[in-house]
Amino acid sequence: MNAGMRAAFFSRVALRRGSARLITPGSSTARQSRRALFTRAQPTPVRNFLINTILIAGVGFGAYYVTDARSAFHRYFLVPAIRWTTDAETAHRFAIECMKAGVYPVDRSADDEDPELEVEVFGKKLSSPIGLAAGFDKNAEAIDPLFAMGFSYVEVGSITPKPQPGNPLPRFFRLPKDKAAINRYGFNSDGHLKVLVRLRMRLHSFLTHNETTPVNHAFEEGKLLAVNLGKNKDGDEVADYVEGVLTLGNYADLLVVNISSPNTPGLRDLQNEKKLSGLLSAVVAARDDLSTPHKPPICVKIAPDLSETEVASIAEVVKGSGIDGVIVANTTISRPESLKSPLSLSSEIGGLSGPPVKELSLKTLRALRKYMGPSFTIVGCGGISTGKDAVEFAKAGASFVQVLTGFAYDGPGMPSRLRAEIKKELDGKKWMDIVNMDFK
């Protein structure tokens, strides 16, 4: 802008302000005009109040939104970002550490009563049929955060008598094209004593801050805490489980005997009729010897890679054992042809979990229900990622369902999402109305 143009500009400014004087670019009046043009208005108490109110409201709303497990922020931004920047096991450990530190979102809709979703199981009531399978919180470090995210059932473990590191790294692999995973953790565990201390400290904290005694080990009506028991790599196939019952049984609403992990040598051999009979008899006797007035129910977790003959054999043993339920199923050692992930990933040794396991689990579930009859409790697990999947498991005979790999891919909003999808699928019916529907 040349000198003449600047003079004309400031003249127009002066005329707008009601002054007929000519303003030259270097004059004091010109400098005042420039300040008036290019600076903000002087703050006033009302203006400051409005700005601060908007800022505080914005921060408050953002915090409320991010700390709600149902927020799309977690499913579509945070979880994918973690998955993109970390390997599978690091992400798993990071999630547990955040929960231990108190950094986790909560499902604010979880306490809303949904009578149509209630489940009657083991003589108790679950507020919804959505549980978390063992394998996420291996050492009972994040129990209450997981309940706060909306799970009605949380299963910790597998926990071995002695601490053991598990298999060498790497041992956990994502198959993102299939929303699946392969793990060969190998029962990495802190051992009974460390977990016992955590469960006792958790109970002590509850009793310190509450005047009433806990209604159960989840400390909340409509929820259950389960402890999944494993054996050490070099442990005794019966004694290790009996020790688990005696050490941790007083702190669980349900005990699970895991004989189906593919990552501990010889473990799946315990599904053999003779070995299984001896094992289940021993753990039931140990449970009955517990000092607690309430004897926790016992479930056994089986593999999805069983033939119908093997399922029939297991059913006969279970019927005569006195245990209370079966979880169907663990990870699979098979690799379905439907896998889309590269062979370099899908051929990794270990147990495959996620949607590719669904059909195998359903097949095993239907076979077991056929041999066990309609009243026995069977828990569905394996490949459940939508409400439609959960309903399919219920109709095939599952009293309630567990998720794990889907939770890792979806994030903390999964329990709430599944509840909403299940209600839509039920179309006015109740969950308990559709359990075993395929056999009615």
Side-chain angles (χ1 to χ4, degrees):
M1 183 182 289
N2 59 35
M5 294 174 67
R6 284 198 298 272
F9 172 76
F10 287 111
S11 295
R12 286 194 296 272
V13 170
L15 286 171
R16 289 193 190 100
R17 291 173 174 267
S19 173
R21 290 183 294 116
L22 179 65
I23 300 175
T24 60
S27 67
S28 62
T29 306
R31 288 193 295 271
Q32 292 171 3
S33 298
R34 285 197 295 270
R35 282 196 295 272
L37 281 170
F38 300 110
T39 59
R40 293 181 179 178
Q42 291 296 317
T44 64
V46 173
R47 185 169 176 270
N48 286 342
F49 173 78
L50 290 174
I51 291 173
N52 290 335
T53 300
I54 292 170
L55 286 173
I56 292 170
V59 171
F61 176 78
Y64 184 86
Y65 177 75
V66 170
T67 56
D68 192 324
R70 297 168 295 170
S71 164
F73 169 80
H74 301 289
R75 187 180 186 189
Y76 297 110
F77 177 76
L78 183 60
V79 173
I82 293 172
R83 207 161 51 234
W84 185 64
T85 54
T86 63
D87 64 82
E89 185 162 352
T90 300
H92 184 182
R93 191 64 237 167
F94 175 74
I96 294 293
E97 291 299 329
C98 284
M99 292 182 202
K100 285 171 61 179
V103 181
Y104 58 90
V106 299
D107 180 3
R108 297 190 178 96
S109 70
D111 293 331
D112 297 342
E113 291 189 7
D114 285 320
E116 62 267 46
L117 296 183
E118 289 179 350
V119 183
E120 296 172 11
V121 63
F122 305 121
K124 295 183 178 293
K125 187 173 287 186
L126 287 177
S127 59
S128 89
I130 308 302
L132 179 67
F136 184 82
D137 188 7
K138 291 176 173 290
N139 294 299
E141 299 174 279
I143 295 170
D144 295 306
L146 290 166
F147 277 125
M149 289 181 190
F151 290 108
S152 63
Y153 169 103
V154 171
E155 187 174 318
V156 299
S158 293
I159 303 163
T160 59
K162 302 176 198 171
Q164 64 178 28
N167 292 322
L169 301 173
R171 55 192 179 180
F172 190 17
F173 309 90
R174 300 186 187 104
L175 280 64
K177 289 185 177 180
D178 301 286
K179 287 198 171 182
I182 292 174
N183 91 81
R184 51 172 179 262
Y185 271 121
F187 283 174
N188 53 316
S189 174
D190 285 350
H192 286 170
L193 292 183
K194 280 189 178 181
V195 172
L196 177 62
V197 168
R198 289 186 188 119
L199 294 175
R200 282 181 170 176
M201 289 178 65
R202 177 174 172 267
L203 177 59
H204 175 75
S205 177
F206 177 87
L207 294 174
T208 300
H209 295 94
N210 296 271
E211 295 181 358
T212 59
T213 56
V215 293
N216 54 30
H217 294 287
F219 304 157
E220 208 173 329
E221 290 282 1
K223 298 183 179 181
L224 294 175
L225 173 65
V227 174
N228 185 298
L229 304 174
K231 68 179 284 292
N232 283 114
K233 190 174 181 179
D234 57 353
D236 184 275
E237 59 189 32
V238 173
D240 279 12
Y241 290 102
V242 168
E243 185 179 336
V245 173
L246 296 176
T247 304
L248 303 173
N250 287 334
Y251 298 90
D253 298 311
L254 177 72
L255 292 170
V256 179
V257 177
N258 186 354
I259 57 170
S260 52
S261 170
N263 302 314
T264 297
L267 187 73
R268 288 192 169 191
D269 292 343
L270 294 175
Q271 295 174 124
N272 170 276
E273 184 174 350
K274 184 177 180 180
K275 288 185 176 182
L276 183 60
S277 178
L279 171 62
L280 295 185
S281 296
V283 296
V284 168
R287 186 271 311 272
D288 293 343
D289 286 340
L290 289 173
S291 59
T292 179
H294 169 69
K295 310 298 183 185
I298 294 175
C299 285
V300 62
K301 188 169 187 176
I302 64 174
D305 306 307
L306 299 167
S307 67
E308 182 155 347
T309 301
E310 290 171 318
V311 173
S313 175
I314 288 173
E316 286 304 309
V317 174
V318 166
K319 286 178 182 177
S321 67
I323 69 165
D324 306 273
V326 177
I327 299 176
V328 181
N330 211 318
T331 57
T332 179
I333 58 175
S334 68
R335 298 294 182 265
E337 293 182 1
S338 61
L339 288 177
K340 303 171 186 174
S341 298
L343 186 64
S344 58
L345 280 176
S346 59
S347 61
E348 288 286 352
I349 296 171
L352 173 69
S353 61
V357 185
K358 177 185 165 186
E359 292 307 319
L360 285 170
S361 295
L362 277 171
K363 181 181 178 182
T364 306
L365 171 60
R366 290 188 178 104
L368 185 65
R369 176 58 74 195
K370 181 173 71 173
Y371 291 109
M372 292 303 302
S375 60
F376 188 78
T377 299
I378 302 176
V379 182
C381 183
I384 298 166
S385 56
T386 67
K388 187 175 181 180
D389 293 336
V391 167
E392 197 171 350
F393 270 75
K395 290 179 178 179
S399 301
F400 67 97
V401 298
Q402 298 177 341
V403 299
L404 181 56
T405 305
F407 176 59
Y409 274 94
D410 269 16
M414 189 184 195
S416 175
R417 178 175 65 82
L418 288 187
R419 288 199 306 273
E421 291 177 358
I422 289 170
K423 288 173 70 173
K424 186 176 179 180
E425 291 288 329
L426 289 175
D427 193 25
K429 296 185 179 71
K430 293 184 177 181
W431 174 268
M432 294 304 295
D433 293 336
I434 67 167
V435 173
N436 293 327
M437 185 175 281
D438 289 351
F439 294 90
K440 292 177 181 177

